[in-house]
Amino acid sequence: MEHVPPPAEELALLDRELAQLDARRAHLLTRRAWLVSALQPQAPNAPRWHTPPVGHGWAPGQPWSAAPRAAKPSGPPRSAQNVLLTLGGLLLTVAAVAFTLVSWGSMGIGGRSAVLALVTLAALAAPVVLLRRKLAATAEALAALALVLTLLDVYAIHAVAAPDTDGLTFTAVASAVLAALWAAYGLALGKLHLPLPAAVFFVQWPLLLGAWAAGAPAIVVGWALLVTAVVDGAIALWGKGLGVRVTAGIGLAVMGSAALLTGLGESLTADGPLGAVLPGALLLTAAVAALAGAWRAPNGYAQVGGVLAGLAAVAAVGGVLRAAVPGTWHVPVYLLCGLALLSVVRAPLPRGAGRGVLAAAGAVVAGALLWAVPPVAAVLLGPVELVAEVWAGAPDGFRGALGESMRWSESAAAPVVLAVVAGLLGAAYRWWPSLVRVAAPLVTPGTAARGAAGAGALALGWGTLLLAAATLGVPYPVAVALETALVAGLLLVAVRGAERGAGDAGTAEGDGARAEAGAAGGGRSAVAVTALVAAVGGAVSVGLLSLAAEAATYAVFGALVVLFAGAALRTRAVVEQAVLAVAAVVWGTVLTGCVARSLELAPHEAAPLLLVVPAVTVLLGARLRLHPVALPVELTGALGALVAVGLAVPDAPFLALVLALCGVLAAGAAVRPERRPAAGYVAAVLFVAATWVRLAASEVSTPEAYTLPVTVPALVVGVLRRRKDPGASSWTAYGPGLAATLLPSLAVAWTDPDWLRPLLLGVSALVITLLGAKYRLQALLLLGGAALALDTLHELAPYVVQVAGALPRWLPPALAGLLLLAVGATYEQRLRDARKLKDLLGGMR
């Protein structure tokens, strides 16, 4: 019978045959095309086809082309030509310098002048001839030589013809002459790139060196720098050639910065308003020049010009006003001048220049805030010093609680600065649509900017009130009440903002864009987030401040617990609710610690009292169950329990009591199915640890007498549990019972000089390990194996130490190196073995 393959196999066979046919057809078509092109008549100079590749190096569809043409030899590379010309110019320059400095004295005055003049004229004339012959690179090199020769001519003239002339004056005049000479030379020979930038370079020095030579005051030097910068700006705007504009731009940056710094320094050191007028005029002129340049400059440079113009104008006007007010109010004066720049939104300025002026106003405001914000930080962090002297007595006033490190008289104007900026941002937040319409010609702020303005207004307003209270030196009770009231107000803003955001997100479900925004923002606004952060920070600050007096501490922390708990119940936003609930738990924990201090309890005696709040969080977690806030609240309570354990460490009996109480709380949490996997293990560990600590505190030398009566029933319960539920973990069934005896016995065996206990412990651990391996029980295998290994190590330790002392010092490092080499060479195999061991242990119960 003829074999008929299955349909799937036959289909695959047909596909392979069709693919082979397609490949063969493509090969034949390609070969045919080449043959047709080879048989066509060709022009005499046309490239001839070479034989196409056939064999291993060719595949169907591979193209082949005509034989490559022979490359024509080209001239020397352009880069090599430039290197040769550069080296030649440098050698001639070195020769000219050597001639001028070394051989100058061996010739008479006429010969010297004639030689230098002749060489300079030749170097200046040569580029003209070379450009006519289209040798531009050579002409450029000789122009550079001519530039150096003109400098040597100036030096020679000063050294021989005018040796008594002042050096600065002569240099200023020579710079002007050289600038004019090279400008004319560059304009005459427009194809050369070096002369005009050289002329721009020489332009930088005449006015500056002239003013310096005349011994002019600093303000005159500033005017010379400013005029030079204006000339540079004009050249940068209207000059021809990239080199000319770049050179002029560098000169503009250097000379303009120097002029502005000179004017600013003179303005800041002026004795009075009249003394600040001249520096102000310089700065104001610089502002006008920068704004005029920004009017015609490209967008990026226009913004830089606008920034410089705005800052210079503020320095000019603010410098005059600053000299008329006391030193404390200098920053507010500059701030008001910077805010006056905001009127540029109605000025007919180009967009780039106008945005630069607005950026200058923002820079002035930011600088004022940098000056005013540190005192606010001092107010918030100053009460930290009270932690070392809790309940030492209420200070005389708010300043007394903040320490004496801050000079409050110098910060009297800081609240004014904060209030002005906060009012401005609040007005912008309130009338945002009108502001957007007014600022539309220059900027188009979005909704995120409005949120930032509202958040800034809220934070700065809060800081203003705190700093004003510290500056005025209000009484201590008033300060505590004020900070507590501010925390309440911030919580109100945070709750309302979160509710409004959640409501907007909920009502936006039908609107795609708004629903996406609500989901992305989680119903939170910048104002609400800022209020929440400020409320938490303010609560910490007022809590520290209240530590000066016992009554204030109870009043403040009681109010904080009520305020934060009420806010957590009031808000619907999950994140805000979790933060508020966690903060309430923290304040409650601190409050219980204060109760313990009032009862004059020792730290270890206060530890059980601190477990009241963790117990409340466990009950609250049971009430909230799967609510997202339940887990953060319970974890915060667990941290409080950890603090209680830390306080009880110095006293072993109290530590055992606290561990047992923590185990009870963990067991209570483990009753809930969602907490059982983690809380159950924690409870078992805590109970076992409490047992160990109690035995150690009682100085029990035979812990087995106390642990075995617990281990045997626990193992019986574990066996019954495994019979009822074969899928139960061995750690749940046998882990607590085995650990209750093995670990205390192991701890005692390490300090027991006798041999009986280590022997019995080792035999028991061996039996447990073998049972775990036989019945594939992970808890028995790991606990028994670990106890057996540690017991064996204890027994072998003296011999290991003895052998190690007899070995040469170099042998242990050598053995360690060999071990590392062996592990590295078989790394992949060791990795596979580790994975197999992991899978094996993971498969056990």
Side-chain angles (χ1 to χ4, degrees):
M1 297 177 62
E2 184 179 358
H3 173 69
V4 179
E9 183 179 349
E10 185 178 3
L11 180 61
L13 180 63
L14 293 177
D15 288 340
R16 285 195 297 270
E17 291 182 357
L18 289 174
Q20 293 176 359
L21 290 176
D22 290 340
R24 180 61 178 168
R25 185 174 184 275
H27 165 68
L28 295 177
L29 288 175
T30 305
R31 181 70 177 177
R32 179 182 182 281
W34 180 85
L35 292 173
V36 171
S37 62
L39 294 175
Q40 290 179 352
Q42 300 178 359
N45 297 328
R48 300 186 61 84
W49 290 94
H50 65 283
T51 304
V54 178
H56 297 288
W58 179 84
Q62 176 180 345
W64 50 80
S65 59
R69 296 183 182 181
K72 295 182 180 180
S74 59
R78 191 72 174 178
S79 58
Q81 181 183 8
N82 292 335
V83 171
L84 294 175
L85 293 175
T86 303
L87 290 176
L90 287 176
L91 291 175
L92 290 175
T93 302
V94 171
V97 173
F99 170 76
T100 304
L101 298 179
V102 178
S103 302
W104 189 260
S106 61
M107 301 179 63
I109 184 65
R112 302 169 191 171
S113 303
V115 169
L116 269 182
L118 181 61
V119 173
T120 303
L121 290 175
L124 290 173
V128 179
V129 179
L130 293 173
L131 287 176
R132 292 177 180 176
R133 297 186 178 183
K134 298 182 179 181
L135 299 175
T138 308
E140 204 75 53
L142 289 179
L145 176 62
L147 176 62
V148 177
L149 289 174
T150 53
L151 295 176
L152 294 176
D153 288 336
V154 171
Y155 167 76
I157 292 173
H158 181 263
V160 177
D164 299 330
T165 307
D166 180 65
L168 288 176
T169 304
F170 183 84
T171 305
V173 175
S175 298
V177 173
L178 288 175
L181 171 65
W182 283 99
Y185 188 74
L187 293 175
L189 301 178
K191 294 183 179 181
L192 292 179
H193 300 289
L194 181 63
L196 290 179
V200 175
F201 173 78
F202 289 125
V203 165
Q204 312 302 314
W205 310 110
L207 294 179
L208 175 61
L209 296 179
W212 195 359
I219 191 66
V220 177
V221 175
W223 279 105
L225 291 169
L226 179 60
V227 172
T228 305
V230 170
V231 173
D232 288 331
I235 296 174
L237 286 175
W238 292 294
K240 295 182 179 180
L242 180 62
V244 173
R245 293 188 176 185
V246 170
T247 307
I250 296 174
L252 171 62
V254 175
M255 296 298 178
S257 300
L260 291 175
L261 291 176
T262 302
L264 181 61
E266 291 296 308
S267 177
L268 293 176
T269 57
D271 295 333
L274 294 178
V277 170
L278 290 180
L282 173 63
L283 292 170
L284 203 58
T285 305
V288 173
L291 194 60
W295 205 293
R296 297 183 58 88
N299 187 36
Y301 295 102
Q303 292 189 23
V304 175
V307 171
L308 294 176
L311 294 178
V314 170
V317 180
V320 176
L321 299 177
R322 177 202 65 84
V325 298
T328 308
W329 298 94
H330 287 174
V331 175
V333 166
Y334 284 107
L335 174 63
L336 293 178
C337 295
L339 294 179
L341 294 178
L342 297 177
S343 60
V344 74
V345 295
R346 293 188 176 276
L349 289 178
R351 186 178 180 87
R355 297 178 72 172
V357 176
L358 288 180
V364 174
V365 173
L369 290 179
L370 287 178
W371 174 81
V373 166
V376 178
V379 173
L380 292 174
L381 301 178
V384 174
E385 299 179 357
L386 299 176
V387 176
E389 300 178 356
V390 177
W391 297 349
D396 296 335
F398 195 11
R399 294 184 184 178
L402 299 178
E404 302 297 332
S405 59
M406 190 69 187
R407 298 179 179 178
W408 297 106
S409 59
E410 298 179 1
S411 304
V416 177
V417 171
L418 295 176
V420 170
V421 180
L424 182 67
L425 293 177
Y429 181 78
R430 176 63 179 83
W431 293 287
W432 187 258
S434 302
L435 177 64
V436 171
R437 287 194 299 269
V438 172
L442 297 181
V443 293
T444 53
T447 55
R450 183 186 184 186
L458 179 66
L460 295 178
W462 170 57
T464 300
L465 295 176
L466 290 177
L467 191 55
T471 305
L472 296 175
V474 299
Y476 174 75
V478 175
V480 173
L482 174 63
E483 287 205 41
T484 307
L486 288 177
V487 171
L490 291 170
L491 287 176
L492 181 62
V493 174
V495 169
R496 288 187 175 180
E499 287 180 352
R500 187 179 300 111
D504 292 343
T507 56
E509 293 179 356
D511 189 349
R514 292 180 59 191
E516 184 179 356
R524 292 182 291 276
S525 65
V527 176
V529 172
T530 303
L532 180 60
V533 173
V536 174
V540 173
S541 179
V542 71
L544 294 174
L545 184 64
S546 68
L547 296 178
E550 184 176 2
T553 302
Y554 281 107
V556 168
F557 280 102
L560 291 179
V561 171
V562 173
L563 288 174
F564 278 84
L569 293 174
R570 185 70 177 83
T571 185
R572 292 182 296 170
V574 175
V575 175
E576 284 81 353
Q577 195 174 37
V579 172
L580 293 169
V582 166
V585 172
V586 173
W587 311 143
T589 304
V590 176
L591 196 58
T592 56
C594 295
V595 173
R597 182 176 179 84
S598 297
L599 296 176
E600 297 182 355
L601 299 177
H604 63 275
E605 295 174 340
L609 185 59
L610 290 180
L611 295 178
V612 172
V613 174
V616 174
T617 58
V618 171
L619 296 176
L620 186 61
R623 177 70 176 83
L624 296 175
R625 297 190 66 80
L626 298 178
H627 195 280
V629 179
L631 182 60
V633 169
E634 292 181 80
L635 291 178
T636 308
L639 291 178
L642 188 61
V643 173
V645 172
L647 292 176
V649 166
D651 190 274
F654 269 91
L655 178 59
L657 174 62
V658 171
L659 289 173
L661 293 176
C662 292
V664 172
L665 295 179
V671 173
R672 296 153 51 197
E674 67 274 9
R675 298 287 184 263
R676 187 171 301 155
Y681 291 117
V682 173
V685 171
L686 289 172
F687 282 132
V688 172
T691 304
W692 299 342
V693 173
R694 181 67 261 182
L695 293 175
S698 301
E699 298 181 356
V700 174
S701 59
T702 310
E704 294 82 3
Y706 298 90
T707 58
L708 284 176
V710 177
T711 297
V712 173
L715 293 178
V716 172
V717 172
V719 171
L720 296 177
R721 168 72 185 278
R722 289 273 296 174
R723 286 183 178 179
K724 183 178 180 181
D725 182 14
S729 172
S730 62
W731 289 99
T732 305
Y734 308 120
L738 292 175
T741 296
L742 283 179
L743 299 181
S745 299
L746 183 63
V748 176
W750 268 74
T751 59
D752 190 355
D754 200 1
W755 58 272
L756 183 58
R757 176 178 280 109
L759 176 61
L760 294 176
L761 178 62
V763 172
S764 301
L766 178 61
V767 171
I768 293 172
T769 304
L770 294 176
L771 290 175
K774 180 179 180 180
Y775 295 104
R776 299 180 60 81
L777 298 175
Q778 191 180 95
L780 275 67
L781 180 63
L782 294 182
L783 286 176
L788 180 61
L790 292 175
D791 186 65
T792 305
L793 178 63
H794 171 262
E795 294 302 308
L796 296 179
Y799 304 102
V800 173
V801 172
Q802 183 178 0
V803 172
L807 292 176
R809 295 293 181 89
W810 57 267
L811 189 57
L815 294 176
L818 291 175
L819 177 62
L820 291 177
L821 289 176
V823 172
T826 60
Y827 175 75
E828 295 295 336
Q829 182 62 36
R830 301 287 78 78
L831 190 61
R832 286 193 293 269
D833 295 342
R835 289 172 179 169
K836 289 179 181 178
L837 180 59
K838 177 184 176 182
D839 296 339
L840 179 62
L841 291 177
M844 293 183 177
R845 286 291 180 183

